[in-house]
Amino acid sequence: LNAPLGASEETLRTLRYAVFLDLINPGETLLTAHHADDQLETYLFRLLRGTSSEEVKGIAALSMRGETHIARPLLAFEKKELLTYATQRKLKWSEDSTNKSKEFARNRIRHELIPLLEELRPRAGKHILNFFNALAKNDSVKKDKPLILDFESGVDVKKDLGHLDFTQFKHSLEMVLGAACSRTTRAHWITLKKQWDARKATKNGGGPRKVIQFPGKFKAIFEKNRFFLIRD
């Protein structure tokens, strides 16, 4: 890899991909070993650089460069998990010597900022990563998957909502709640999610009747295998 002296991280990244893409054939997929720690560093790096909640983007699990598919199947795993796995199975790997350098901002986040956060609060990195992942996913739902359901007529938990995750379900309710959504609390959504998880786990989405009072005189009602959001 012939990189100019003092090249930026972005330049080096582009050059690395160019080498990889030159080695694979058209139609093949390039797999990279990006993991959860890389994702956390990316979120923090972009946050410190300056971004809005609508522009928060991490490392994509799937992407394209030209006509080549790129997949990153290890994003859900922390680096220590991968190291343990590799060590137990006596796998060999190479590590870029520049990873230890504090010359680059990303490396300082890795070696200084994240350890400080973990010192202040154990598992802080995991909590921050979960927050950014949820934020990015929720924004994706708002932009790409608008969903409007007639909740007052009732929807089948399994048939009509079974394909959704809770982020999508929550966004759908927020659309109906409108201004009242600003008065909801964490307790509202925790209670709702418990019922949501329980209903989706049953064979037909059924269960005992449950009513959750929301602001704006809205009621979220689980009735056997159906869900309603009605307004008094």
Side-chain angles (χ1 to χ4, degrees):
L1 182 63
N2 296 318
L5 185 64
S8 67
E9 288 183 278
E10 181 62 33
T11 298
L12 294 174
R13 186 180 304 109
T14 300
L15 290 172
R16 283 198 299 271
Y17 273 113
V19 171
F20 295 144
L21 296 179
D22 190 51
L23 294 174
I24 66 176
N25 299 316
E28 293 182 335
T29 299
L30 172 65
L31 302 180
T32 75
H34 290 97
H35 45 71
D37 296 52
D38 295 320
Q39 187 73 290
L40 174 60
E41 292 164 15
T42 299
Y43 280 131
L44 290 174
F45 177 76
R46 291 176 177 171
L47 177 65
L48 294 174
R49 186 178 58 185
T51 187
S52 67
S53 60
E54 291 79 15
E55 296 173 339
V56 173
K57 293 181 180 179
I59 303 170
L62 296 171
S63 65
M64 292 282 292
R65 286 206 175 221
E67 298 180 357
T68 301
H69 292 271
I70 301 176
R72 303 173 180 89
L74 302 179
L75 285 175
F77 301 94
E78 296 179 21
K79 182 177 181 179
K80 62 182 180 182
E81 294 180 277
L82 300 178
L83 290 176
T84 298
Y85 180 93
T87 301
Q88 290 176 343
R89 288 158 180 78
K90 297 181 180 180
L91 303 179
K92 295 182 179 180
W93 68 90
S94 61
E95 187 155 349
D96 192 335
S97 60
T98 63
N99 285 344
K100 297 180 180 180
S101 170
K102 295 183 180 180
E103 177 183 354
F104 299 112
R106 182 182 290 272
N107 286 4
R108 295 194 66 184
I109 291 174
R110 178 184 308 143
H111 296 299
E112 296 179 356
L113 178 57
I114 293 177
L116 175 60
L117 293 172
E118 294 285 348
E119 181 182 334
L120 292 172
R121 177 71 65 177
R123 302 296 289 167
K126 181 68 173 178
H127 298 322
I128 293 171
L129 181 60
N130 289 340
F131 169 79
F132 278 112
N133 281 339
L135 187 65
K137 188 172 185 178
N138 189 52
D139 187 58
S140 175
V141 169
K142 289 180 180 179
K143 289 181 179 179
D144 304 324
K145 299 179 181 178
L147 180 69
I148 300 176
L149 295 172
D150 182 5
F151 290 110
E152 290 197 11
S153 297
V155 287
D156 189 295
V157 175
K158 282 285 189 178
K159 181 180 178 181
D160 299 324
L161 303 177
H163 65 289
L164 302 178
D165 61 26
F166 187 72
T167 301
Q168 294 169 305
F169 179 55
K170 180 175 180 289
H171 177 51
S172 302
L173 296 184
E174 290 173 338
M175 293 172 64
V176 180
L177 290 171
C181 183
S182 64
R183 304 202 303 276
T184 60
T185 66
R186 187 166 178 265
H188 286 108
W189 300 111
I190 289 177
T191 304
L192 189 72
K193 189 174 190 305
K194 286 181 179 179
Q195 287 296 317
W196 163 264
D197 290 339
R199 304 286 169 150
K200 289 192 72 173
T202 62
K203 184 176 181 180
N204 62 0
R209 189 173 193 267
K210 176 68 178 179
V211 179
I212 306 169
Q213 186 69 54
F214 271 78
K217 297 184 179 181
F218 284 98
K219 288 183 179 179
I221 303 173
F222 287 94
E223 184 78 54
K224 294 184 179 178
N225 65 331
R226 298 187 70 77
F227 174 81
F228 303 81
L229 183 71
I230 64 174
R231 191 171 189 177
D232 292 343

